[in-house]
Amino acid sequence: MTSSSALVFICAATSCLWNSVAVSADVEIVDLSHAYANEGMTFYPHPNIAHFNITKSYKKTSNIGVYWDMNNFCLGEHVGTHIDAPLHSIPGGRGVHELRLDELIGDAVIIDISAKTAMDVDYECTIADIRSWEEKHGVIPPKSIFFLRTDWSKYWGNDVKYLGTDTGKHENLHLPGLHPDAAKFLINDRQIKLYGADAISIDVGPSKHKEVHVTLLGADIGALENLANLDKLPATGSKVFAIPMKIKDGSGAPTRVFAMIGAGNTCYLSFSLVCITLLNAVMTFVWNST
C-alpha cells in the first residue's frame, strides 16, 4: 500500500467512523427503572420483604482536602424495578447469577392494554389481545423481549392505587396482568426470552396460585416487574437492556432497565468499533512504512 492510497483509506475510515457516530445521535435512550429512595416507593405487601432503606455512613473532608461521601443500603431482592429469576417460583431453578446477558438484551415488543386496564383494574391480557396486536405490527419474532404496558406505573408511590387495596395484605391486591393461557402462548408459540410488566406483579391481582409466575419461570424465562416509562416506547423498534445485580443464588435482584430507540441502535456501536479497528490498522501500517 502506497502512502497516498493509505491516506485515502484513512480518510474513508474516518468518514465511516464519523457517520457511525452521527447515527448514534439519532438514538434515544429511555430509562425504564424507578429510582430507589427512602420515600416514594411502593412495596409488595409481604411481611418477609425488606423495604429499601439508605443511610449515610460517612461524609467528610479529610485534613488534606479530599472529600468522601458513602452510604449503606438494605433492600429485598423483589423491591423496586427488579427481575424474578426462575428460582423465585421453581425449586432448583436458576438463580440471578446464572442468567446469561444475551437473555437480558434484545429487541422488544410492547403490547399496550392500558385502555382496557383503565376500565377493568383486574384485566388480563389474552391471546386475542396479542393476536390483535400482531395484525397491526406483525408476528412477534422468536427471542423477543415482551413488555406488557398497563400504564400502572403512573400510580407508583401511591400504594392504594398501585396495589388496588389499602389493607396492606397481598391477598387483596387488584392490578392487571397476563392471562396464564397467554403466558403459555408466548412461550410455546412465540418463544419469547424475557417478559416484563409495569406493575408490581406479572400475575393479575386476584391470582391465588400465581400461574403466570409458575408458567414463565417454569419455562426458565426471567420476568421484570415494576417497569417504568413503557408509554415512551414504540410497539416495535427498541432494543432493551436489563442488567440485574449479580447475586449468587438470588431469586431476584434490583435491575437497571433501559431501551434504545432508533434505526442505528443495533449496529452503530459495533460499526464504530470496526471503523476504529480498520483505522488503527492502516495508521500502524503507514507508521511502520515510514
Side-chain angles (χ1 to χ4, degrees), residues 26 28 41 63 86 97 100 118 133 136 203 219-220 236 253:
D26 296 330
E28 179 185 1
M41 295 183 67
N63 55 8
H97 75 290
R100 303 186 313 274
W133 181 93
K136 299 176 182 177
D203 275 285
D220 206 30
T236 63

Side-chain angles (χ1 to χ4, degrees), residues 7 18 40 111 120 126 132 159 164 170 174 202 218 233 242 286:
L7 181 60
W18 177 258
I111 293 188
D120 181 0
T126 65
S132 176
D159 292 359
H170 63 87
H174 288 282
I202 58 175
L233 299 185
V286 173

Side-chain angles (χ1 to χ4, degrees), residues 84-88 90-100 103 193 217 219-222 249-251:
D84 288 355
L87 179 60
H88 181 46
I90 307 300
R94 287 189 300 158
V96 173
H97 75 290
E98 297 173 294
L99 299 177
R100 303 186 313 274
E103 299 175 69
K193 68 176 182 179
L217 302 183
D220 206 30
I221 295 173
D249 298 325
S251 69

